[in-house]
Amino acid sequence: MKEEDVDWLIYHIITQKGEVTADDLADVSGLDAAAVTTSLDRLDRYFLIDRTSGKIRTLSVGEALIKCQAKNDGTLPYIIENGVIRARKSGYDRK
C-alpha cells in the first residue's frame, strides 16, 4: 500500500472515531504498529492530527493554522509544545 493510501486510511479512521490510540488504529486498519506510527508521524508533520498523552485526534482548520504559524513564524512571541502555549525563549525581539 502506498504511503498516501495508508495516511488516508489512518486519517479517516481518526475522524470517524474522534479520539483513538495507535493500538486502536492498528486493530481497525489491519496495519502493523510500525506502519501506523510512520503514518501518524507524517500526519503530525503536516498539521492534520494532534497526539497528546497517547490519544490521537484530528485538528480543526483553525488549530492547524495556528500550529503551523507557531512552528514556522519565528517572529511570534510564543510556541506550542505538546499542546501547551509557551513564551519563545530566543529569536524574538520585542522592539
Side-chain angles (χ1 to χ4, degrees):
M1 188 180 280
K2 294 190 307 187
E3 289 180 350
E4 299 87 13
D5 295 332
V6 172
D7 293 351
W8 184 259
L9 174 64
I10 295 298
Y11 182 79
H12 283 280
I13 292 171
I14 297 168
T15 59
Q16 290 172 357
K17 300 285 185 182
E19 189 175 77
V20 295
T21 66
D23 291 337
D24 294 337
L25 289 170
D27 290 342
V28 173
S29 69
L31 299 169
D32 62 53
V36 170
T37 300
T38 303
S39 178
L40 291 173
D41 290 342
R42 285 191 298 270
L43 293 171
D44 195 19
R45 187 171 51 248
Y46 297 134
F47 307 108
L48 294 172
I49 62 167
D50 177 60
R51 295 189 279 187
T52 305
S53 301
K55 295 290 187 175
I56 304 151
R57 66 178 182 86
T58 58
L59 291 174
S60 70
V61 172
E63 289 173 312
L65 290 172
I66 289 171
K67 194 171 180 180
C68 181
Q69 185 178 18
K71 179 177 172 96
N72 295 304
D73 186 350
T75 64
L76 293 176
Y78 61 87
I79 58 173
I80 300 174
E81 293 178 337
N82 299 321
V84 178
I85 299 170
R86 301 179 191 273
R88 186 179 298 274
K89 293 180 182 173
S90 63
Y92 177 70
D93 188 9
R94 295 182 182 233
K95 291 182 183 177

